PDB file of all heavy atoms in Angstrom:
ATOM      1  N   SER A 877     -33.532  41.884-131.099  1.00 83.00           N
ATOM      2  CA  SER A 877     -34.965  42.097-131.316  1.00 83.00           C
ATOM      3  C   SER A 877     -35.527  41.138-132.369  1.00 83.00           C
ATOM      4  O   SER A 877     -36.735  40.907-132.399  1.00 83.00           O
ATOM      5  CB  SER A 877     -35.234  43.543-131.722  1.00 83.00           C
ATOM      6  OG  SER A 877     -34.713  43.790-133.008  1.00 83.00           O
ATOM      7  N   PHE A 878     -34.663  40.584-133.221  1.00 86.00           N
ATOM      8  CA  PHE A 878     -35.127  39.647-134.237  1.00 86.00           C
ATOM      9  C   PHE A 878     -35.238  38.214-133.727  1.00 86.00           C
ATOM     10  O   PHE A 878     -35.839  37.364-134.377  1.00 86.00           O
ATOM     11  CB  PHE A 878     -34.213  39.673-135.464  1.00 86.00           C
ATOM     12  CG  PHE A 878     -34.366  40.917-136.284  1.00 86.00           C
ATOM     13  CD1 PHE A 878     -33.304  41.801-136.409  1.00 86.00           C
ATOM     14  CD2 PHE A 878     -35.558  41.226-136.901  1.00 86.00           C
ATOM     15  CE1 PHE A 878     -33.431  42.946-137.152  1.00 86.00           C
ATOM     16  CE2 PHE A 878     -35.700  42.377-137.651  1.00 86.00           C
ATOM     17  CZ  PHE A 878     -34.636  43.240-137.770  1.00 86.00           C
ATOM     18  N   ILE A 879     -34.661  37.939-132.574  1.00 81.00           N
ATOM     19  CA  ILE A 879     -34.730  36.597-131.995  1.00 81.00           C
ATOM     20  C   ILE A 879     -36.021  36.475-131.205  1.00 81.00           C
ATOM     21  O   ILE A 879     -36.262  37.255-130.281  1.00 81.00           O
ATOM     22  CB  ILE A 879     -33.515  36.335-131.080  1.00 81.00           C
ATOM     23  CG1 ILE A 879     -32.229  36.419-131.882  1.00 81.00           C
ATOM     24  CG2 ILE A 879     -33.641  34.981-130.390  1.00 81.00           C
ATOM     25  CD1 ILE A 879     -30.980  36.367-131.037  1.00 81.00           C
ATOM     26  N   PRO A 880     -36.876  35.519-131.562  1.00 77.00           N
ATOM     27  CA  PRO A 880     -38.158  35.412-130.850  1.00 77.00           C
ATOM     28  C   PRO A 880     -37.969  34.852-129.440  1.00 77.00           C
ATOM     29  O   PRO A 880     -37.106  34.007-129.195  1.00 77.00           O
ATOM     30  CB  PRO A 880     -38.966  34.434-131.713  1.00 77.00           C
ATOM     31  CG  PRO A 880     -37.935  33.628-132.422  1.00 77.00           C
ATOM     32  CD  PRO A 880     -36.744  34.537-132.614  1.00 77.00           C
ATOM     33  N   ASP A 881     -38.789  35.345-128.535  1.00 73.00           N
ATOM     34  CA  ASP A 881     -38.794  34.856-127.162  1.00 73.00           C
ATOM     35  C   ASP A 881     -39.916  33.833-127.035  1.00 73.00           C
ATOM     36  O   ASP A 881     -41.077  34.189-126.857  1.00 73.00           O
ATOM     37  CB  ASP A 881     -39.018  35.992-126.166  1.00 73.00           C
ATOM     38  CG  ASP A 881     -37.882  36.971-126.140  1.00 73.00           C
ATOM     39  OD1 ASP A 881     -36.760  36.550-126.450  1.00 73.00           O
ATOM     40  OD2 ASP A 881     -38.118  38.144-125.808  1.00 73.00           O
ATOM     41  N   GLU A 882     -39.559  32.579-127.143  1.00 77.00           N
ATOM     42  CA  GLU A 882     -40.546  31.516-127.068  1.00 77.00           C
ATOM     43  C   GLU A 882     -40.232  30.603-125.899  1.00 77.00           C
ATOM     44  O   GLU A 882     -39.073  30.329-125.594  1.00 77.00           O
ATOM     45  CB  GLU A 882     -40.546  30.691-128.356  1.00 77.00           C
ATOM     46  CG  GLU A 882     -40.968  31.477-129.579  1.00 77.00           C
ATOM     47  CD  GLU A 882     -40.950  30.632-130.837  1.00 77.00           C
ATOM     48  OE1 GLU A 882     -40.713  29.416-130.738  1.00 77.00           O
ATOM     49  OE2 GLU A 882     -41.163  31.205-131.901  1.00 77.00           O
ATOM     50  N   VAL A 883     -41.289  30.147-125.274  1.00 76.00           N
ATOM     51  CA  VAL A 883     -41.153  29.201-124.180  1.00 76.00           C
ATOM     52  C   VAL A 883     -41.659  27.854-124.686  1.00 76.00           C
ATOM     53  O   VAL A 883     -42.777  27.738-125.176  1.00 76.00           O
ATOM     54  CB  VAL A 883     -41.959  29.653-122.950  1.00 76.00           C
ATOM     55  CG1 VAL A 883     -41.865  28.638-121.849  1.00 76.00           C
ATOM     56  CG2 VAL A 883     -41.492  31.009-122.495  1.00 76.00           C
ATOM     57  N   ALA A 884     -40.830  26.843-124.575  1.00 77.00           N
ATOM     58  CA  ALA A 884     -41.209  25.510-125.047  1.00 77.00           C
ATOM     59  C   ALA A 884     -42.204  24.895-124.066  1.00 77.00           C
ATOM     60  O   ALA A 884     -42.055  25.021-122.847  1.00 77.00           O
ATOM     61  CB  ALA A 884     -39.982  24.625-125.162  1.00 77.00           C
ATOM     62  N   PRO A 885     -43.228  24.238-124.595  1.00 80.00           N
ATOM     63  CA  PRO A 885     -44.199  23.603-123.694  1.00 80.00           C
ATOM     64  C   PRO A 885     -43.573  22.406-122.977  1.00 80.00           C
ATOM     65  O   PRO A 885     -42.805  21.645-123.559  1.00 80.00           O
ATOM     66  CB  PRO A 885     -45.322  23.163-124.628  1.00 80.00           C
ATOM     67  CG  PRO A 885     -44.697  23.071-125.972  1.00 80.00           C
ATOM     68  CD  PRO A 885     -43.589  24.072-125.991  1.00 80.00           C
ATOM     69  N   ASP A 886     -43.926  22.253-121.718  1.00 81.00           N
ATOM     70  CA  ASP A 886     -43.406  21.163-120.901  1.00 81.00           C
ATOM     71  C   ASP A 886     -44.456  20.050-120.883  1.00 81.00           C
ATOM     72  O   ASP A 886     -45.472  20.151-120.196  1.00 81.00           O
ATOM     73  CB  ASP A 886     -43.110  21.665-119.492  1.00 81.00           C
ATOM     74  CG  ASP A 886     -42.379  20.642-118.660  1.00 81.00           C
ATOM     75  OD1 ASP A 886     -41.988  19.591-119.205  1.00 81.00           O
ATOM     76  OD2 ASP A 886     -42.180  20.904-117.457  1.00 81.00           O
ATOM     77  N   LYS A 887     -44.220  19.004-121.652  1.00 84.00           N
ATOM     78  CA  LYS A 887     -45.212  17.928-121.781  1.00 84.00           C
ATOM     79  C   LYS A 887     -45.328  17.111-120.497  1.00 84.00           C
ATOM     80  O   LYS A 887     -46.416  16.654-120.154  1.00 84.00           O
ATOM     81  CB  LYS A 887     -44.851  17.032-122.961  1.00 84.00           C
ATOM     82  CG  LYS A 887     -44.969  17.763-124.284  1.00 84.00           C
ATOM     83  CD  LYS A 887     -44.670  16.874-125.453  1.00 84.00           C
ATOM     84  CE  LYS A 887     -44.784  17.695-126.729  1.00 84.00           C
ATOM     85  NZ  LYS A 887     -44.577  16.886-127.903  1.00 84.00           N
ATOM     86  N   GLN A 888     -44.230  16.939-119.786  1.00 88.00           N
ATOM     87  CA  GLN A 888     -44.299  16.185-118.539  1.00 88.00           C
ATOM     88  C   GLN A 888     -45.158  16.924-117.515  1.00 88.00           C
ATOM     89  O   GLN A 888     -45.939  16.302-116.786  1.00 88.00           O
ATOM     90  CB  GLN A 888     -42.899  15.959-117.963  1.00 88.00           C
ATOM     91  CG  GLN A 888     -42.068  15.008-118.778  1.00 88.00           C
ATOM     92  CD  GLN A 888     -40.667  14.862-118.192  1.00 88.00           C
ATOM     93  OE1 GLN A 888     -40.271  15.636-117.328  1.00 88.00           O
ATOM     94  NE2 GLN A 888     -39.938  13.875-118.685  1.00 88.00           N
ATOM     95  N   PHE A 889     -45.050  18.234-117.467  1.00 86.00           N
ATOM     96  CA  PHE A 889     -45.859  19.009-116.546  1.00 86.00           C
ATOM     97  C   PHE A 889     -47.337  18.886-116.894  1.00 86.00           C
ATOM     98  O   PHE A 889     -48.188  18.750-116.013  1.00 86.00           O
ATOM     99  CB  PHE A 889     -45.430  20.474-116.566  1.00 86.00           C
ATOM    100  CG  PHE A 889     -46.293  21.365-115.721  1.00 86.00           C
ATOM    101  CD1 PHE A 889     -46.192  21.327-114.346  1.00 86.00           C
ATOM    102  CD2 PHE A 889     -47.204  22.230-116.307  1.00 86.00           C
ATOM    103  CE1 PHE A 889     -46.983  22.139-113.557  1.00 86.00           C
ATOM    104  CE2 PHE A 889     -48.001  23.036-115.530  1.00 86.00           C
ATOM    105  CZ  PHE A 889     -47.890  23.003-114.153  1.00 86.00           C
ATOM    106  N   GLU A 890     -47.645  18.938-118.180  1.00 86.00           N
ATOM    107  CA  GLU A 890     -49.045  18.807-118.610  1.00 86.00           C
ATOM    108  C   GLU A 890     -49.593  17.428-118.241  1.00 86.00           C
ATOM    109  O   GLU A 890     -50.742  17.305-117.809  1.00 86.00           O
ATOM    110  CB  GLU A 890     -49.165  19.044-120.116  1.00 86.00           C
ATOM    111  CG  GLU A 890     -48.809  20.454-120.554  1.00 86.00           C
ATOM    112  CD  GLU A 890     -49.770  21.493-120.007  1.00 86.00           C
ATOM    113  OE1 GLU A 890     -50.967  21.188-119.816  1.00 86.00           O
ATOM    114  OE2 GLU A 890     -49.319  22.621-119.745  1.00 86.00           O
ATOM    115  N   GLN A 891     -48.784  16.386-118.417  1.00 88.00           N
ATOM    116  CA  GLN A 891     -49.234  15.044-118.055  1.00 88.00           C
ATOM    117  C   GLN A 891     -49.455  14.931-116.553  1.00 88.00           C
ATOM    118  O   GLN A 891     -50.459  14.360-116.107  1.00 88.00           O
ATOM    119  CB  GLN A 891     -48.209  14.000-118.513  1.00 88.00           C
ATOM    120  CG  GLN A 891     -48.148  13.825-120.012  1.00 88.00           C
ATOM    121  CD  GLN A 891     -47.022  12.905-120.435  1.00 88.00           C
ATOM    122  OE1 GLN A 891     -46.176  12.532-119.614  1.00 88.00           O
ATOM    123  NE2 GLN A 891     -46.987  12.555-121.722  1.00 88.00           N
ATOM    124  N   ARG A 892     -48.548  15.469-115.772  1.00 91.00           N
ATOM    125  CA  ARG A 892     -48.721  15.432-114.313  1.00 91.00           C
ATOM    126  C   ARG A 892     -49.958  16.216-113.888  1.00 91.00           C
ATOM    127  O   ARG A 892     -50.661  15.827-112.959  1.00 91.00           O
ATOM    128  CB  ARG A 892     -47.483  16.012-113.617  1.00 91.00           C
ATOM    129  CG  ARG A 892     -46.345  15.004-113.527  1.00 91.00           C
ATOM    130  CD  ARG A 892     -45.191  15.540-112.722  1.00 91.00           C
ATOM    131  NE  ARG A 892     -44.290  16.202-113.693  1.00 91.00           N
ATOM    132  CZ  ARG A 892     -43.683  17.352-113.504  1.00 91.00           C
ATOM    133  NH1 ARG A 892     -43.828  17.997-112.386  1.00 91.00           N
ATOM    134  NH2 ARG A 892     -42.918  17.861-114.435  1.00 91.00           N
TER     135      ARG A 892
END
Side-chain angles (χ1 to χ4, degrees):
S877 69
F878 288 116
I879 299 172
D881 294 333
E882 296 180 6
V883 177
D886 189 7
K887 294 182 181 183
Q888 291 178 348
F889 175 74
E890 295 295 329
Q891 290 174 351
R892 280 186 269 138

